[in-house]
Amino acid sequence: MKTRPISYFDNNATTRIDPVVLEEMLPWLSGEYGNASSAYSAGRRAHAAVELARERVSALLNVRESEVLFTSCGTESINSAILSACSLDPDKTHIITSAVEHSATMKLCDHLAQRGYEITRLGVDAEGRLDLQKLEDAITEETAVVSLLWANNETGVLFPVREISEICTAKGVLLHLDAVQAVGKVPVDLATLEVSFLSLSGHKLYAPKGVGGLYVNRRVRFQPLLRGSQERGRRGGTENVASIVAFGKAAELESLHGFAEAQKAASLRDAFEDGILGAVPGCSVNGDRTARLPNTSNISFDGIESEGALLLLDHHGICCSAGSACTTGSVTPSHVLRAMGLGNERARASLRFSFGRFNQREEVEHALQVLPKIVGKLRENSPLAGSPVLSAS
Ligand code: PLP
C-alpha cells in the first residue's frame, strides 16, 4: 500500500526511526544474529554492541554504565522500578504518585491497591502543577516509593524534579521518575540529581518500539521483575540486540544534537501555537506554559469534539492526538485534563500537537491553513452553534 506524505505532530506518541539509527541497527537483524551470551566470536560481537549501547545511554544520562538496564519498553521499566521498591520491605505498603501519570503507573498502582497498598495520588492545579508541600506531607514511615512523571505526555508540563528529589532525599524515601517524555527533550543529568530509578523508552527517541531503559542508582537495592541470567541477573531474557543497538545510537544522537533540536522544536511549536491562538477564537492552551516541554502544545477548542477533529485532520494528512495515544478510541475524557479541573466538554475538545526532529516549517504552515477551517466546520455542526464565541469563527 502506498502511503502519502503526512504532517506528523504526534511525536509524544511515537517517533519515526532516524535513518542513521536504522542503518546502525540493520546488520543486527540480518548477518549479525549472534546471541549476546554466546562465547564464540559472533556472540562476543553482539555482547560488545550491547555494551556500546549501554555506554551511549549512560553517557546521555551522565551515570555509570553499570546503572543502566535494558528492558522491553518504558512500561516495563516503570513496573520494574515500582515493584522492586515495593519488594524491599513488606512493612512499607504506601506509594505516592500523582493523578496525572501515564497509564503504566496508574494501572500498576490500581493493581497494587487491590493487593492492599495504600496509594496517594497527588492532585495538580489548573496549570497541571504539583503542590510540593502536599508531597512532603504525604510521605510516611510506610512509604515504599514516590513515583512521578518528569514531563507529562499530554500537556508537556514539567514537574519540579529537583525539589521533588530534595524532598525524597531528606525523607529517605525511594524516588522513581518516569522520564519517558523528558529524555531527549530537556537535559536529564543524573550526576546532579539524586533519584533511585528513572525510566526511559526508545521509541520516543527515534529508535524502534519495544526497547526501553531503566536507570537504577548503584546505592539502591534492586529486585528484578524478570528473573534470568542476562543483564547481570537484573533483567532476564535474551537481549534484543538490534533494538538495543538502535537505542544506543539514538541516545548518542541526542547527546550530540539534543539541545539544538529542542530549540528547533520549540520554535515550530511556538509558531504553531501563536498562529492558532491568533486565528481561532475560543481556544486555550492547557498546562503551564513556562515549565513545559519545548515540543508539546495541548489546546482546547470550545465547541468541538476532538475525535471528529482527528478524523478531518487525518483527511488532510495531519496526525495529532486527542489526549494520550493510549486512550485514543475511547470517549472518556483525558484523566490528566480532568485532574487539572477541566470540565468534560473542554477536556473532550482538546488536541495535542507534539513536534519533533523531522518536522518542517511547511508542515506547520499547512496545519495553520487547515486547522482553523476544520474547527469552524465542526463548530457549525455543533449543537452549541449560535453561542457568541462559536459564531465568531
Ligand atoms: N510514560 C510516559 C510518560 C509515556 O508517554 C509512555 C508512552 O507513551 C510510557 C510511559 C510508556 O512507554 P512505552 O510505550 O515504551 O511502554
Side-chain angles (χ1 to χ4, degrees):
M1 196 173 75
K2 200 162 179 291
T3 49
R4 63 194 163 112
I6 53 171
S7 298
Y8 187 74
F9 302 120
D10 208 10
N11 288 276
N12 285 9
T14 197
T15 55
R16 177 182 161 185
I17 301 180
D18 191 301
V20 175
V21 169
L22 186 63
E23 197 185 318
E24 183 110 347
M25 170 186 192
L26 281 177
W28 304 96
L29 286 170
S30 50
E32 289 282 9
Y33 51 82
N35 184 321
S37 301
S38 297
Y40 42 81
S41 53
R44 290 203 303 276
R45 281 197 301 276
H47 176 77
V50 168
E51 292 316 309
L52 175 62
R54 201 185 311 281
E55 197 181 308
R56 289 169 166 172
V57 173
S58 52
L60 178 65
L61 304 178
N62 204 5
V63 298
R64 293 189 188 184
E65 286 153 41
S66 59
E67 293 174 306
V68 171
L69 304 184
F70 290 114
T71 64
S72 67
C73 56
T75 300
E76 184 192 322
S77 302
I78 292 167
N79 275 258
S80 303
I82 296 176
L83 290 172
S84 170
C86 289
S87 69
L88 292 182
D89 182 346
D91 293 332
K92 291 192 188 280
T93 54
H94 176 223
I95 297 170
I96 300 175
T97 181
S98 85
V100 295
E101 296 297 307
H102 185 266
S103 57
T105 303
M106 303 277 284
K107 302 251 180 221
L108 175 62
C109 288
D110 291 347
H111 169 72
L112 290 171
Q114 281 169 6
R115 286 178 42 195
Y117 278 81
E118 185 198 340
I119 314 289
T120 300
R121 297 176 204 259
L122 300 168
V124 293
D125 68 11
E127 305 290 304
R129 290 176 302 220
L130 209 58
D131 181 336
L132 291 174
Q133 190 57 52
K134 289 207 173 117
L135 166 63
E136 196 166 348
D137 294 345
I139 297 173
T140 68
E141 289 290 304
E142 279 82 51
T143 306
V145 62
V146 172
S147 181
L148 291 168
L149 282 166
W150 185 314
N152 190 282
N153 45 306
E154 295 193 31
T155 58
V157 171
L158 297 165
F159 277 168
V161 289
R162 191 153 304 285
E163 289 83 349
I164 291 170
S165 158
E166 280 163 13
I167 292 170
C168 292
T169 306
K171 296 259 185 180
V173 63
L174 297 177
L175 170 63
H176 165 247
L177 291 179
D178 171 356
V180 166
Q181 293 292 346
V183 174
K185 298 180 186 128
V186 291
V188 173
D189 180 354
L190 298 187
T192 61
L193 184 77
E194 181 70 19
V195 300
S196 316
F197 309 102
L198 180 133
S199 295
L200 58 160
S201 173
H203 73 105
K204 314 289 183 180
L205 282 178
Y206 310 94
K209 295 153 195 66
V211 61
L214 176 64
Y215 160 78
V216 182
N217 186 315
R218 63 188 177 280
R219 289 178 291 275
V220 170
R221 278 189 296 141
F222 181 70
Q223 291 289 331
L225 178 65
L226 298 184
R227 287 176 191 275
S229 54
Q230 291 84 0
E231 295 288 275
R232 295 192 293 131
R234 295 190 299 169
R235 199 277 183 180
T238 300
E239 293 88 344
N240 179 354
V241 179
S243 293
I244 290 172
V245 165
F247 189 22
K249 188 67 184 173
E252 185 190 56
L253 294 182
E254 285 301 341
S255 298
L256 292 172
H257 311 300
F259 180 66
E261 264 186 9
Q263 284 183 317
K264 181 189 154 203
S267 103
L268 292 178
R269 190 270 313 268
D270 293 346
F272 168 78
E273 203 167 73
D274 293 346
I276 290 299
L277 293 178
V280 183
C283 66
S284 45
V285 174
N286 296 314
D288 184 356
R289 289 178 77 182
T290 50
R292 187 170 56 148
L293 287 176
N295 79 320
T296 307
S297 179
N298 188 310
I299 307 180
S300 286
F301 298 88
D302 296 347
I304 73 157
E305 287 272 354
S306 51
E307 303 292 317
L310 285 189
L311 289 177
L312 294 176
L313 286 166
D314 185 32
H315 190 69
H316 289 270
I318 296 174
C319 306
C320 66
S321 156
S324 74
C326 305
T327 54
T328 299
S330 98
V331 286
T332 47
S334 142
H335 69 281
V336 175
L337 300 179
R338 295 287 290 123
M340 289 161 60
L342 269 69
N344 273 350
E345 226 162 68
R346 208 178 127 196
R348 282 215 191 97
S350 104
L351 294 172
R352 177 190 69 187
F353 298 84
S354 46
F355 298 81
R357 182 174 298 170
F358 299 110
N359 284 124
Q360 300 294 335
R361 199 154 278 270
E362 299 76 60
E363 291 172 272
V364 172
E365 300 300 331
H366 175 52
L368 289 175
Q369 290 287 317
V370 169
L371 183 57
K373 290 185 194 141
I374 286 179
V375 173
K377 192 183 266 184
L378 289 168
R379 284 175 173 174
E380 274 166 30
N381 299 329
S382 155
L384 297 175
S387 84
V389 163
L390 303 193
S391 47
S393 64

